[in-house]
Amino acid sequence: MTMNRRMFLGTTAAASAVLSAPSVLADGHAKPRVVVIGGGAGGATAARYIAKDSEGAIDVTLIEPSKAYYTCFFSNLYLGGFKDIEDIGHSYGGLAATGVNVIHDWAVGVDRDTKTVTLAGGDTVAYDKLILSPGIDFVEGAVEGWDISAQNAMPHAFKAGSQTELLKAQLMAMPEGGTFAMVAPPNPYRCPPGPYERVSMVAHYLKANNPTAKILIADPKPSFSKQGLFEEGWNTYYAGMIDRIGPDFGGANVSVDPAAMTLSIDGEVTNVDVCNVIPAMKAGRIAELAGVTDGNWAPVNAADMSTKADPDVYVLGDSAQQGDMPKSGFSANSQAKVCANAVRGALTGSRVFPAKFANTCWSLIATDDGVKVGATYEATDEKIAKVDGFVSTTGESAEIRKATYEESEGWYTGITSDMFGNAV
Amino acid sequence: MRLACLSLSVAASVLCTTVAADTFGDPVAGEVVFANCKACHKVGPEAGNGIGPHLNGLFGRAAAGLEGFRYSRSLQRAGSNGLEWHADTLDAFLEDPRGYASGTRMSFRGLKDQEERLDVIAYLRGFSADPANFPEADPTATATDHDIDPEILAIEGDAEYGEYLSSECTTCHRADGGDDGIPSIVLWPEQDFKIALQAYKNEQRSHPVMQMIARRLNDEEIAALAAYFGSLEN
């Protein structure tokens, strides 16, 4: 914490110097500067790898408003009671110890002509290369009756932390035999199996604590990730509890009333006790403000994750429109390493190796019943293209499913160490 | 085959002289249990260190007591605190390796079945009874059963490229060698690392994620990864 504040003060002093004489510092600064916005799976990994591998040759600044970062991956396991909220919380001390300047503030503007980032506090930070990894924001008006001011009555819980805790509190407060509703998002969105793992975890909680409760899903998609595996699990563990209304039955024609706590599907109004609204998504707002988006997402070049709009601005993870990779923490982490290698090469002449990407998404359906889907990818001229893949199969043995869950726990420890380094 | 007979006869004599029958396992059954171990641990006349230390002469050996094998700090500490391998300490270690030595790099969840532990300990006892019969070989690490072209295994890896490629591994496998549901892969002898990845690539090993990852690594890339992971500091 002290480390962070010292870093923060140091950087602030430098930033105000930039304000008074930006051209001198930007041109005359001894070291190349990388600024990373967003400290999640993409941004934290990129900042850490550039700082670690350049061994001080590059100034790396990470701008992230939260001092405690809660991973969206594994947040469903908190809802299901398999993890505590502390288990999915991480600090930035390990990154600071690696030499990353960590600034806890909001980035509110990017000037690509002067190559500076403006912070909510008023300071500016100069960059030679800018990496944006801001996750997701929601498309306004995507679900009739819902906007961000309704997120306390009807949480999205698709940015982990207080939203996740709120949803859990609402789940625990449900009346006996009540209804938990979910408005599922249209493609593309963060974590394709996420809503359905969440349904599994909510069902797991309800089965033990409120077994006559129901789960109602309004879904605009005709099919979803790992559908066969989830439906097999729902039949096995939670028979009769879960009702999913797909687009054929009006699942895409939905409105909500947060004040009345009602959900309308194709005109039929249902009173609900909890309503988890997961609206359509778009790139994190700073990508739009930087002018690197086209529509909802930021198109990037597959070889190094640089944007189509600006070769000195890179976009990682959920915000990027890159081709075949799903929007996941694993994908963002994978893209970050390709990007870090390319950025370091461009700034210091270090060796640049060909892009290789991979993703695996694990989901927990019930106790010791884990499933996974994954693929490898390569960079082509047009996009990140899928090379190869696998998915768990229905009817697997309990032993395999348990091993898959244990593997996911190992992965969680692995990826969070890879993102944040070892905390000090 | 000669090895199995020899170890059996040695173990059998031990059975008659020093250990009560009801607390001593069956070395023949133990050889079957040892199949869980032999991807990493070797025994017998040709045995050298591989991913794990060889287990000839294990009984009476101090923990982390073999020269030339890079043990975890956890086992080094245990050894300098006086831990020696005997039937009782092996039994406790094998029941829950990580519970017994929290920092061990042995990626094995343990043998919960006491009979299996006694059997495999009996099997291993056969390789300690008369070390003179099992001359220590140089660590050739010929390891697992495989038919990989020696020329492929002889490729010298580019460790710097391996470091870049390793970033794909460290999403799951921890760079500090810790292991929690996903095996440790640091500090393996280069040959064993190459053999393991080649075995995933040609589907002799069965894990679907690893098969997928290994399928798109060419022989130079596998050698590069082996060179990098083999070069890490403890």
Side-chain angles (χ1 to χ4, degrees), chain A residues 83-109:
Chain A
K83 298 287 165 195
D84 294 329
I85 195 75
E86 295 79 25
D87 295 337
I88 61 167
H90 303 270
S91 72
Y92 290 93
L95 283 184
T98 311
V100 176
N101 306 314
V102 181
I103 299 180
H104 291 299
D105 200 351
W106 287 93
V108 293

mmCIF file of all heavy atoms in Angstrom, chain A residues 83-109:
data_model
loop_
_atom_site.group_PDB
_atom_site.id
_atom_site.type_symbol
_atom_site.label_atom_id
_atom_site.label_comp_id
_atom_site.label_asym_id
_atom_site.label_seq_id
_atom_site.Cartn_x
_atom_site.Cartn_y
_atom_site.Cartn_z
ATOM 1 N N LYS A 83 -16.359 -20.389 -3.044
ATOM 2 C CA LYS A 83 -15.243 -19.476 -2.764
ATOM 3 C C LYS A 83 -15.764 -18.327 -1.905
ATOM 4 O O LYS A 83 -16.946 -17.957 -2.002
ATOM 5 C CB LYS A 83 -14.696 -18.869 -4.077
ATOM 6 C CG LYS A 83 -14.126 -19.866 -5.056
ATOM 7 C CD LYS A 83 -12.798 -20.434 -4.627
ATOM 8 C CE LYS A 83 -12.460 -21.666 -5.450
ATOM 9 N NZ LYS A 83 -11.372 -22.445 -4.856
ATOM 10 N N ASP A 84 -14.861 -17.753 -1.091
ATOM 11 C CA ASP A 84 -15.171 -16.508 -0.396
ATOM 12 C C ASP A 84 -14.819 -15.350 -1.316
ATOM 13 O O ASP A 84 -14.007 -15.506 -2.223
ATOM 14 C CB ASP A 84 -14.344 -16.402 0.894
ATOM 15 C CG ASP A 84 -14.748 -17.464 1.905
ATOM 16 O OD1 ASP A 84 -15.935 -17.849 1.906
ATOM 17 O OD2 ASP A 84 -13.869 -17.927 2.655
ATOM 18 N N ILE A 85 -15.372 -14.191 -1.018
ATOM 19 C CA ILE A 85 -15.084 -13.035 -1.870
ATOM 20 C C ILE A 85 -13.586 -12.697 -1.807
ATOM 21 O O ILE A 85 -12.985 -12.295 -2.807
ATOM 22 C CB ILE A 85 -15.982 -11.823 -1.509
ATOM 23 C CG1 ILE A 85 -15.949 -10.768 -2.619
ATOM 24 C CG2 ILE A 85 -15.604 -11.200 -0.169
ATOM 25 C CD1 ILE A 85 -16.739 -11.109 -3.854
ATOM 26 N N GLU A 86 -12.970 -12.921 -0.637
ATOM 27 C CA GLU A 86 -11.529 -12.631 -0.517
ATOM 28 C C GLU A 86 -10.705 -13.517 -1.455
ATOM 29 O O GLU A 86 -9.626 -13.132 -1.897
ATOM 30 C CB GLU A 86 -11.025 -12.869 0.918
ATOM 31 C CG GLU A 86 -11.619 -11.949 1.963
ATOM 32 C CD GLU A 86 -13.019 -12.374 2.388
ATOM 33 O OE1 GLU A 86 -13.346 -13.578 2.264
ATOM 34 O OE2 GLU A 86 -13.803 -11.499 2.812
ATOM 35 N N ASP A 87 -11.218 -14.713 -1.739
ATOM 36 C CA ASP A 87 -10.466 -15.639 -2.596
ATOM 37 C C ASP A 87 -10.287 -15.096 -4.008
ATOM 38 O O ASP A 87 -9.394 -15.529 -4.734
ATOM 39 C CB ASP A 87 -11.177 -17.002 -2.696
ATOM 40 C CG ASP A 87 -11.233 -17.723 -1.365
ATOM 41 O OD1 ASP A 87 -10.386 -17.427 -0.505
ATOM 42 O OD2 ASP A 87 -12.125 -18.577 -1.196
ATOM 43 N N ILE A 88 -11.191 -14.210 -4.431
ATOM 44 C CA ILE A 88 -11.097 -13.717 -5.813
ATOM 45 C C ILE A 88 -10.631 -12.259 -5.859
ATOM 46 O O ILE A 88 -10.695 -11.619 -6.901
ATOM 47 C CB ILE A 88 -12.428 -13.900 -6.581
ATOM 48 C CG1 ILE A 88 -13.571 -13.125 -5.920
ATOM 49 C CG2 ILE A 88 -12.783 -15.388 -6.706
ATOM 50 C CD1 ILE A 88 -14.814 -13.032 -6.822
ATOM 51 N N GLY A 89 -10.151 -11.734 -4.724
ATOM 52 C CA GLY A 89 -9.654 -10.361 -4.674
ATOM 53 C C GLY A 89 -8.130 -10.316 -4.741
ATOM 54 O O GLY A 89 -7.458 -11.185 -4.186
ATOM 55 N N HIS A 90 -7.608 -9.338 -5.447
ATOM 56 C CA HIS A 90 -6.153 -9.224 -5.632
ATOM 57 C C HIS A 90 -5.742 -7.763 -5.526
ATOM 58 O O HIS A 90 -6.484 -6.881 -5.910
ATOM 59 C CB HIS A 90 -5.739 -9.781 -7.002
ATOM 60 C CG HIS A 90 -6.166 -11.203 -7.189
ATOM 61 N ND1 HIS A 90 -5.371 -12.268 -6.822
ATOM 62 C CD2 HIS A 90 -7.326 -11.733 -7.638
ATOM 63 C CE1 HIS A 90 -6.029 -13.401 -7.059
ATOM 64 N NE2 HIS A 90 -7.218 -13.100 -7.557
ATOM 65 N N SER A 91 -4.514 -7.527 -5.026
ATOM 66 C CA SER A 91 -4.006 -6.162 -4.955
ATOM 67 C C SER A 91 -2.900 -6.007 -5.998
ATOM 68 O O SER A 91 -2.493 -6.965 -6.633
ATOM 69 C CB SER A 91 -3.463 -5.873 -3.561
ATOM 70 O OG SER A 91 -2.249 -6.571 -3.400
ATOM 71 N N TYR A 92 -2.417 -4.777 -6.120
ATOM 72 C CA TYR A 92 -1.422 -4.481 -7.153
ATOM 73 C C TYR A 92 0.003 -4.383 -6.604
ATOM 74 O O TYR A 92 0.895 -3.914 -7.290
ATOM 75 C CB TYR A 92 -1.832 -3.202 -7.896
ATOM 76 C CG TYR A 92 -3.064 -3.437 -8.746
ATOM 77 C CD1 TYR A 92 -4.335 -3.185 -8.250
ATOM 78 C CD2 TYR A 92 -2.943 -3.977 -10.020
ATOM 79 C CE1 TYR A 92 -5.463 -3.450 -9.014
ATOM 80 C CE2 TYR A 92 -4.067 -4.242 -10.793
ATOM 81 C CZ TYR A 92 -5.320 -3.985 -10.283
ATOM 82 O OH TYR A 92 -6.423 -4.255 -11.049
ATOM 83 N N GLY A 93 0.189 -4.854 -5.353
ATOM 84 C CA GLY A 93 1.512 -4.756 -4.738
ATOM 85 C C GLY A 93 2.581 -5.517 -5.507
ATOM 86 O O GLY A 93 3.715 -5.062 -5.625
ATOM 87 N N GLY A 94 2.215 -6.675 -6.049
ATOM 88 C CA GLY A 94 3.191 -7.472 -6.792
ATOM 89 C C GLY A 94 3.634 -6.774 -8.068
ATOM 90 O O GLY A 94 4.796 -6.857 -8.468
ATOM 91 N N LEU A 95 2.714 -6.058 -8.707
ATOM 92 C CA LEU A 95 3.079 -5.327 -9.922
ATOM 93 C C LEU A 95 3.995 -4.164 -9.583
ATOM 94 O O LEU A 95 4.976 -3.902 -10.289
ATOM 95 C CB LEU A 95 1.824 -4.800 -10.634
ATOM 96 C CG LEU A 95 1.022 -5.826 -11.429
ATOM 97 C CD1 LEU A 95 -0.120 -5.132 -12.149
ATOM 98 C CD2 LEU A 95 1.896 -6.545 -12.428
ATOM 99 N N ALA A 96 3.671 -3.448 -8.510
ATOM 100 C CA ALA A 96 4.531 -2.332 -8.099
ATOM 101 C C ALA A 96 5.935 -2.851 -7.802
ATOM 102 O O ALA A 96 6.931 -2.239 -8.191
ATOM 103 C CB ALA A 96 3.939 -1.638 -6.874
ATOM 104 N N ALA A 97 6.013 -4.035 -7.159
ATOM 105 C CA ALA A 97 7.320 -4.605 -6.837
ATOM 106 C C ALA A 97 8.088 -5.004 -8.091
ATOM 107 O O ALA A 97 9.313 -5.072 -8.095
ATOM 108 C CB ALA A 97 7.149 -5.813 -5.916
ATOM 109 N N THR A 98 7.373 -5.279 -9.177
ATOM 110 C CA THR A 98 8.030 -5.619 -10.444
ATOM 111 C C THR A 98 8.519 -4.363 -11.168
ATOM 112 O O THR A 98 9.166 -4.444 -12.202
ATOM 113 C CB THR A 98 7.038 -6.395 -11.342
ATOM 114 O OG1 THR A 98 6.439 -7.438 -10.577
ATOM 115 C CG2 THR A 98 7.716 -7.027 -12.543
ATOM 116 N N GLY A 99 8.163 -3.196 -10.640
ATOM 117 C CA GLY A 99 8.632 -1.957 -11.255
ATOM 118 C C GLY A 99 7.573 -1.216 -12.054
ATOM 119 O O GLY A 99 7.879 -0.247 -12.749
ATOM 120 N N VAL A 100 6.324 -1.673 -11.954
ATOM 121 C CA VAL A 100 5.238 -0.979 -12.660
ATOM 122 C C VAL A 100 4.779 0.202 -11.802
ATOM 123 O O VAL A 100 4.564 0.054 -10.596
ATOM 124 C CB VAL A 100 4.046 -1.935 -12.902
ATOM 125 C CG1 VAL A 100 2.876 -1.199 -13.542
ATOM 126 C CG2 VAL A 100 4.478 -3.124 -13.754
ATOM 127 N N ASN A 101 4.653 1.397 -12.397
ATOM 128 C CA ASN A 101 4.049 2.535 -11.686
ATOM 129 C C ASN A 101 2.552 2.329 -11.702
ATOM 130 O O ASN A 101 1.937 2.367 -12.764
ATOM 131 C CB ASN A 101 4.338 3.865 -12.392
ATOM 132 C CG ASN A 101 5.818 4.081 -12.615
ATOM 133 O OD1 ASN A 101 6.612 3.875 -11.721
ATOM 134 N ND2 ASN A 101 6.172 4.480 -13.833
ATOM 135 N N VAL A 102 1.962 2.111 -10.541
ATOM 136 C CA VAL A 102 0.527 1.857 -10.495
ATOM 137 C C VAL A 102 -0.182 3.138 -10.060
ATOM 138 O O VAL A 102 0.107 3.681 -8.989
ATOM 139 C CB VAL A 102 0.185 0.712 -9.526
ATOM 140 C CG1 VAL A 102 -1.313 0.449 -9.515
ATOM 141 C CG2 VAL A 102 0.942 -0.557 -9.921
ATOM 142 N N ILE A 103 -1.063 3.647 -10.897
ATOM 143 C CA ILE A 103 -1.835 4.852 -10.570
ATOM 144 C C ILE A 103 -3.294 4.449 -10.416
ATOM 145 O O ILE A 103 -3.895 3.916 -11.360
ATOM 146 C CB ILE A 103 -1.721 5.910 -11.687
ATOM 147 C CG1 ILE A 103 -0.263 6.344 -11.874
ATOM 148 C CG2 ILE A 103 -2.603 7.113 -11.370
ATOM 149 C CD1 ILE A 103 -0.086 7.391 -12.966
ATOM 150 N N HIS A 104 -3.854 4.688 -9.224
ATOM 151 C CA HIS A 104 -5.260 4.359 -9.020
ATOM 152 C C HIS A 104 -6.118 5.576 -9.339
ATOM 153 O O HIS A 104 -6.329 6.454 -8.508
ATOM 154 C CB HIS A 104 -5.485 3.880 -7.584
ATOM 155 C CG HIS A 104 -4.847 2.550 -7.320
ATOM 156 N ND1 HIS A 104 -5.203 1.413 -8.016
ATOM 157 C CD2 HIS A 104 -3.862 2.178 -6.477
ATOM 158 C CE1 HIS A 104 -4.466 0.393 -7.590
ATOM 159 N NE2 HIS A 104 -3.638 0.833 -6.662
ATOM 160 N N ASP A 105 -6.541 5.649 -10.574
ATOM 161 C CA ASP A 105 -7.378 6.768 -11.020
ATOM 162 C C ASP A 105 -8.108 6.308 -12.284
ATOM 163 O O ASP A 105 -7.746 5.289 -12.888
ATOM 164 C CB ASP A 105 -6.498 7.990 -11.328
ATOM 165 C CG ASP A 105 -7.295 9.305 -11.324
ATOM 166 O OD1 ASP A 105 -8.551 9.245 -11.261
ATOM 167 O OD2 ASP A 105 -6.673 10.370 -11.401
ATOM 168 N N TRP A 106 -9.117 7.062 -12.668
ATOM 169 C CA TRP A 106 -9.810 6.780 -13.921
ATOM 170 C C TRP A 106 -9.110 7.501 -15.066
ATOM 171 O O TRP A 106 -8.783 8.674 -14.948
ATOM 172 C CB TRP A 106 -11.256 7.284 -13.869
ATOM 173 C CG TRP A 106 -12.144 6.455 -13.011
ATOM 174 C CD1 TRP A 106 -12.432 6.667 -11.690
ATOM 175 C CD2 TRP A 106 -12.878 5.293 -13.418
ATOM 176 N NE1 TRP A 106 -13.296 5.698 -11.242
ATOM 177 C CE2 TRP A 106 -13.586 4.850 -12.276
ATOM 178 C CE3 TRP A 106 -12.992 4.583 -14.613
ATOM 179 C CZ2 TRP A 106 -14.409 3.717 -12.307
ATOM 180 C CZ3 TRP A 106 -13.803 3.472 -14.647
ATOM 181 C CH2 TRP A 106 -14.493 3.045 -13.505
ATOM 182 N N ALA A 107 -8.890 6.814 -16.170
ATOM 183 C CA ALA A 107 -8.462 7.482 -17.399
ATOM 184 C C ALA A 107 -9.727 8.004 -18.069
ATOM 185 O O ALA A 107 -10.666 7.250 -18.308
ATOM 186 C CB ALA A 107 -7.741 6.500 -18.309
ATOM 187 N N VAL A 108 -9.755 9.301 -18.331
ATOM 188 C CA VAL A 108 -10.989 9.887 -18.884
ATOM 189 C C VAL A 108 -10.812 10.398 -20.306
ATOM 190 O O VAL A 108 -11.779 10.820 -20.938
ATOM 191 C CB VAL A 108 -11.528 11.022 -17.980
ATOM 192 C CG1 VAL A 108 -11.997 10.450 -16.645
ATOM 193 C CG2 VAL A 108 -10.491 12.116 -17.773
ATOM 194 N N GLY A 109 -9.596 10.398 -20.822
ATOM 195 C CA GLY A 109 -9.412 10.851 -22.200
ATOM 196 C C GLY A 109 -8.064 10.420 -22.739
ATOM 197 O O GLY A 109 -7.113 10.203 -21.974
#
